[in-house]
Amino acid sequence: MKILDLCPEERPREKMERAGARALSNAELLAILIKDGTRDESAVEIAQKLLAGNGGSLRAIGALSARNLRRIRGIGPAKASLIVAAFELGRRHATEIDSTVRRKITGPADAAPLFLEKMKGLDMEESWALFLNRTGYVTDMRKISSGTRDSTLVDRKALVRMAVDCLASSVIISHNHPSGDPHPGKADIKLTEELKTALDAFEIDLVDHIIVSDQSYFSMNDGGVTRFGKG
């Protein structure tokens, strides 16, 4: 049976448009990626065969290479690449969202673990930012720079663009010290003031600059190193 042989309300794409993606089975979602069937099998049947061959596990399918997917009759190079790309996007989305978005940040004790999760164990400096809405909930978390063992440069314009893109009312920035000492140096303090000035121009608050090491962190706000809040 081909997809077109199904009544319209049972076709995966039409069903998704009508009831939303959550209403579809795993086979139906995979069928949307597969798109076209063969002479003998519909896209749904190919998807069902793919699931059956992997114990019904999406995790197992997500671990398959494009080459392995192409072994399934009805899945060619283009379809295999699309399936691999979809699962990789799902992994990246889960990593990005699960630990950050929808969390409320009330102070450095809430923010520091999120930064430590990203930078723990690195032997090079990186900078990350949390973008918050008016009520202090995280709307996004992004890496803003990568550097050397001793420093990382942050582009002020790039940070402002990210904040505007995320519709942020405030920002918390962080970078790591691979040396293990999270206390700020003069360059860290100078950078913080420059970033604060750049964000102030767009009425976006720089709430804190948190420096992390593998086992600890230092909040410039709590430490009174520089002045935060509205300028």
Side-chain angles (χ1 to χ4, degrees):
M1 178 184 288
K2 296 183 179 180
I3 292 290
L4 291 177
D5 294 330
L6 296 171
C7 57
E9 60 268 20
E10 292 303 319
R11 296 171 191 167
R13 273 176 287 181
E14 285 82 349
K15 185 176 178 181
M16 185 170 69
E17 289 177 3
R18 186 184 73 255
R22 291 187 179 183
L24 273 63
S25 67
N26 290 342
E28 289 170 327
L29 289 169
L30 285 168
I32 289 176
L33 296 174
I34 294 170
K35 189 178 179 180
D36 299 316
T38 65
R39 179 180 298 178
D40 302 317
E41 294 179 303
S42 69
V44 173
E45 289 170 328
I46 294 171
Q48 289 170 336
K49 183 169 63 176
L50 176 59
L51 281 163
N54 289 277
S57 170
L58 290 176
R59 183 182 294 273
I61 295 173
L64 295 176
S65 66
R67 178 178 295 181
N68 287 331
L69 285 166
R70 291 199 301 271
R71 293 174 181 170
I72 303 294
R73 185 172 179 272
I75 299 180
K79 294 176 182 178
S81 296
L82 187 59
I83 293 169
V84 170
F87 275 97
E88 179 58 25
L89 281 171
R91 275 190 288 270
R92 295 185 187 188
H93 178 267
T95 299
E96 194 174 275
I97 297 300
D98 286 351
S99 64
T100 56
V101 174
R102 300 185 185 278
R103 288 202 182 188
K104 185 167 186 176
I105 304 299
T106 60
D110 297 325
L114 302 180
F115 292 126
L116 281 165
E117 184 178 294
K118 299 293 186 183
M119 294 182 281
K120 186 173 184 178
L122 296 181
D123 58 4
M124 300 293 179
E125 288 196 10
E126 288 186 354
S127 293
W128 286 75
L130 284 173
F131 301 96
L132 313 178
N133 64 18
R134 293 183 184 277
T135 56
Y137 281 90
V138 177
T139 60
D140 207 346
M141 182 178 191
R142 299 186 187 182
K143 182 164 70 172
I144 51 179
S145 72
S146 296
T148 67
R149 183 168 180 80
D150 301 312
S151 66
T152 182
L153 299 176
V154 177
D155 186 328
R156 288 172 288 177
K157 292 181 179 179
L159 177 62
V160 169
R161 281 197 299 270
M162 289 182 190
V164 171
D165 181 53
C166 293
L167 303 177
S169 293
S170 59
V171 178
I172 300 173
I173 60 171
S174 178
H175 77 280
N176 63 315
H177 278 181
S179 66
D181 181 2
H183 290 84
K186 291 182 179 178
D188 296 327
I189 297 170
K190 183 175 183 292
L191 172 64
T192 304
E193 295 291 355
E194 291 174 349
L195 295 176
K196 180 183 182 305
T197 299
L199 290 165
D200 279 347
F202 289 81
E203 298 184 344
I204 300 171
D205 294 334
L206 180 59
V207 175
D208 203 348
H209 184 171
I210 299 173
I211 302 174
V212 300
S213 65
D214 278 2
Q215 302 299 329
S216 59
Y217 67 89
F218 182 90
S219 161
M220 287 197 188
N221 189 22
D222 280 8
V225 172
T226 188
R227 184 172 58 87
F228 288 90
K230 294 185 179 297

